[in-house]
Every structure is written in C-alpha cells, then in structure tokens.
Amino acid sequence: MTTPDDAARQTLIRRGFALEYATLGWNVIGIVVLAVAAISARSVALAGFGLDSLIEIGASAVVIWELSGTGENRQRRALRLVGVAFALLAIYLLVQSTWVLASGFRPHHSLLGIGWTAVTAAVMFALAAGKARTGIALDNPVLKTEGRVTTIDGLLAVAVLLGLLLNSLAGLSWADPAAGYVLVYYAVREAREIFFGEH
C-alpha cells in the first residue's frame, strides 16, 4: 500500500476525528435515552447497552488522543486501553446476564428502547465502515481496532433489539438478558486479539 501524501493524510486524519466525534456525540445522547428506557422498562439489556455506550465513549476518546499524536508507544498504549474496554464489556455482560436469568427477573416492554436500538444499529454500522476504511488508508491500527468496537456496538444494538422484540411480541422475558450473551464472545475475541495478537 502506498503512503498517502501529506495533504491526503491530513484529510484522512480529519475524517478520523469527524467519525470519532460523531460516535462520541451519538453515545452521549444514547446514555441519556437508554437510562430513561432502562429505568422505565427495568431492562437489563438496555442498561447493559448504556454501559456499552459509555465504553464506546471511552474508546473514541482514546482514538482522538492517539490521532492527536504519533509514535509506536502511543499506539500501543491506546490499543491496550481499547482492549481493556472490550474486556470490561465482556465481564459486565456475562455477570449481569447470568444474574438476571438466574433470578427470573421479568422486564417490561420498551418502545423507546426498540426505536433507539434500531436506529443505533444503523448508525454504528455506518460509522464502523467509515472508521475501517479510514484506518486502512492511514495504516492506523488504533482507528481500525476502534472501528471493530463500533461494529460490536452495532451488533449489540441488534442483539438488544431482538431481545426487546421477543420480550414485547412473544412474551419471552428471558430474551432480554440473553441478548447480552451474544456479544460476550465477540468482545472476548477482540480483547484477546489486542492483547495477544500481532499489530
């Protein structure tokens, strides 16, 4: 792959910043929306998705920090921070989903949660695709990795949406917390790749 000239590289870096700021803004709004929806529906899936939004904010902040400077050491530190975010998400989803399923907790329906997760899935997949393309063009492993965090966020939105729909339409209350298990595998895989893979 040829290295882009300085002007093209600066354009790509600006695009990277724009994608991360868009992700930050969406997730800040999302925390408020999800808090309201989770409390009113008593939904663990929505509460977990709110935590995922918080982790995504942290991951975006890490990438903005990394894009502001250069150097291999800075990239390594940034990648480790993104890896920690994946690990925290996996631990939370595993513990919380298991506890809720074991306790027999029954969440209420949430039209707000269904609407927000459906739109969020589309937004996150679009942002993830932009980050992947920009990260590849810049040859920036941190931006590419955080793009996978955003993909996970989109997948989690789909899983939570499916759980909410099954709960609302079919009365399957276990589907709400079970949605969290779908993402544990992906989050663990990405954390392992960051900590033990080659970059």
Side-chain angles (χ1 to χ4, degrees):
M1 188 176 100
T2 59
T3 304
D5 61 27
D6 192 55
R9 183 172 180 79
Q10 289 306 312
T11 299
L12 288 168
I13 289 173
R14 283 194 297 275
R15 184 185 305 159
F17 277 118
L19 288 164
E20 294 303 331
Y21 282 121
T23 304
L24 273 172
W26 186 269
N27 282 297
V28 167
I29 294 168
I31 286 175
V32 176
V33 173
L34 290 165
V36 171
I39 291 168
S40 64
R42 296 171 44 184
S43 168
V44 170
L46 288 170
F49 194 43
L51 179 64
D52 174 70
S53 296
L54 185 61
I55 291 172
E56 179 74 14
I57 287 170
S60 292
V62 166
V63 177
I64 290 168
W65 169 69
E66 193 277 332
L67 286 174
S68 300
T70 57
E72 193 173 324
N73 287 335
R74 191 171 189 144
Q75 282 192 352
R76 266 198 302 272
R77 285 196 303 271
L79 279 170
R80 280 196 296 268
L81 289 171
V82 173
V84 168
F86 270 123
L88 290 173
L89 177 59
I91 291 167
Y92 173 81
L93 290 172
L94 184 62
V95 171
Q96 190 72 359
S97 295
T98 301
W99 179 82
V100 170
L101 284 171
S103 69
F105 183 84
R106 299 183 68 84
H108 304 303
H109 308 307
S110 175
L111 291 177
L112 175 61
I114 289 169
W116 181 260
T117 53
V119 175
T120 295
V123 170
M124 290 300 116
F125 288 137
L127 287 169
K131 291 175 187 182
R133 284 194 302 271
T134 307
I136 289 168
L138 282 170
D139 193 26
N140 185 306
V142 177
L143 186 55
K144 288 187 285 188
T145 299
E146 205 278 323
R148 290 198 300 269
V149 176
T150 307
T151 299
I152 293 291
D153 200 33
L155 290 170
L156 181 55
V158 171
V160 171
L161 176 61
L162 182 59
L164 295 173
L165 288 172
L166 287 173
N167 182 39
S168 292
L169 302 177
L172 302 175
S173 60
W174 56 263
D176 184 282
Y181 285 122
V182 176
L183 274 298
V184 171
Y185 166 76
Y186 294 101
V188 169
R189 186 184 67 177
E190 292 302 330
R192 287 184 61 188
E193 174 61 27
I194 288 169
F195 289 117
F196 305 111
E198 294 183 6
H199 301 286

